[in-house]
Amino acid sequence: MRPFAYMTLLFAPVIAMGIYWYFRNQYDAAFRKLLIKSFIAGALVIIILIAVQYLSTILGLNDLRSLKRTLFYSFITIGFTCEFSKFLVLRYIVVPKKPVNKPIHAITFSIMIALGFVTTRLILFFVNPFFTQSLYPFTLYAFIAVPASIMFAVVLGFFIGMSKFTKTRFFYSFTGLMVASFFHGLYNFCLFTSDYKLLSLFAFGATIIVFILGLKAAYTDPESLQ
């Protein structure tokens, strides 16, 4: 089964190319270039996660011997760090650009950032350059990492996208970061504790929430938010 799992390395890049292909005739060159830059930036910003994980290893924080340690590692070390890394790119580099003129655009670029991020993360997961013992179930993580990343990206993208067109930018930005981090943390916690029933319930509920947020962003007129 493991050799088949390596095929998941293609999931994120193929989806990213599909998104680019879909938008290539609908938007100008600036929009298309920003799609590519978002993917690359997402792939590079994972250096923050690597640094935090390395520090956690040195401090022994990845030794999940208790519920408190598992919660901290799931929600803070991994969940918050991953979403904060993507948040920095989306909020301060991508969303201020002119091509992002609708909330749904922020979701699109957020997904591209997440796809770049998870591409690099899966490569590191398989290669394991630091020779650390994986805390994730190998095959399961390989197959659900990409769809999970897309779900978190929709949540983050929705709130950051709304923040560009409102006066309460901090509220929307902070909410997006916290909600995406919580989702990511709960997802990690389910994997670390092998609680697949909770993971299934979470996936079902998160899918509904993501669908609603996507529809709301798609049909929101930026002028109505002013």
Side-chain angles (χ1 to χ4, degrees):
M1 190 64 180
R2 282 200 172 193
F4 185 62
Y6 290 113
M7 294 179 59
T8 59
L9 285 172
L10 299 175
F11 286 0
V14 168
I15 294 173
M17 286 189 290
I19 292 174
Y20 180 85
W21 183 267
Y22 177 80
F23 286 110
R24 71 186 185 96
N25 293 323
Q26 299 185 37
Y27 293 94
D28 59 15
F31 191 96
R32 297 194 300 271
K33 288 180 180 179
L34 193 56
L35 285 174
I36 297 174
K37 290 179 180 179
S38 296
F39 182 88
I40 295 174
L44 295 177
V45 79
I46 199 172
I47 189 68
I48 298 176
L49 176 62
I50 294 174
V52 171
Q53 284 188 300
Y54 182 71
L55 180 62
S56 297
T57 301
I58 294 176
L59 297 177
L61 297 177
N62 61 341
D63 183 8
L64 311 184
R65 66 181 71 178
S66 66
L67 178 60
K68 289 182 179 180
R69 280 177 173 255
T70 304
L71 287 170
F72 182 84
Y73 194 79
S74 299
F75 285 88
I76 305 300
T77 303
I78 303 298
F80 178 77
T81 301
C82 286
E83 298 311 314
F84 180 70
S85 301
K86 291 176 278 187
F87 168 85
L88 291 177
V89 177
L90 183 65
R91 174 65 180 82
Y92 295 105
I93 299 177
V94 176
V95 167
K97 304 293 186 184
K98 288 184 178 180
V100 184
N101 53 37
K102 296 179 182 178
I104 191 64
H105 289 165
I107 291 180
T108 301
F109 289 111
S110 180
I111 291 175
M112 289 296 283
I113 293 169
L115 290 174
F117 189 91
V118 75
T119 296
T120 307
R121 194 174 184 197
L122 279 173
I123 292 174
L124 293 175
F125 177 72
F126 289 130
V127 175
N128 191 14
F130 304 109
F131 302 101
T132 56
Q133 182 178 2
S134 175
L135 300 174
Y136 294 104
F138 188 91
T139 303
L140 177 62
Y141 177 76
F143 279 95
I144 68 174
V146 174
S149 295
I150 292 175
M151 286 199 297
F152 309 147
V154 173
V155 173
L156 185 64
F158 172 80
F159 286 100
I160 302 303
M162 297 292 280
S163 73
K164 182 173 183 176
F165 307 101
T166 63
K167 295 180 180 180
T168 55
R169 291 188 177 183
F170 176 80
F171 171 77
Y172 274 104
S173 297
F174 182 78
T175 301
L177 176 59
M178 290 299 103
V179 175
S181 297
F182 176 78
F183 275 33
H184 200 144
L186 183 56
Y187 157 80
N188 288 323
F189 181 78
C190 292
L191 291 178
F192 293 154
T193 59
S194 300
D195 192 338
Y196 302 128
K197 182 179 293 186
L198 179 59
L199 181 62
S200 299
L201 292 173
F202 163 71
F204 178 75
T207 300
I208 294 175
I209 293 172
V210 164
F211 182 73
I212 293 173
L213 293 180
L215 284 179
K216 183 173 178 57
Y219 291 100
T220 295
D221 182 3
E223 294 184 0
S224 67
L225 300 173
Q226 300 298 327

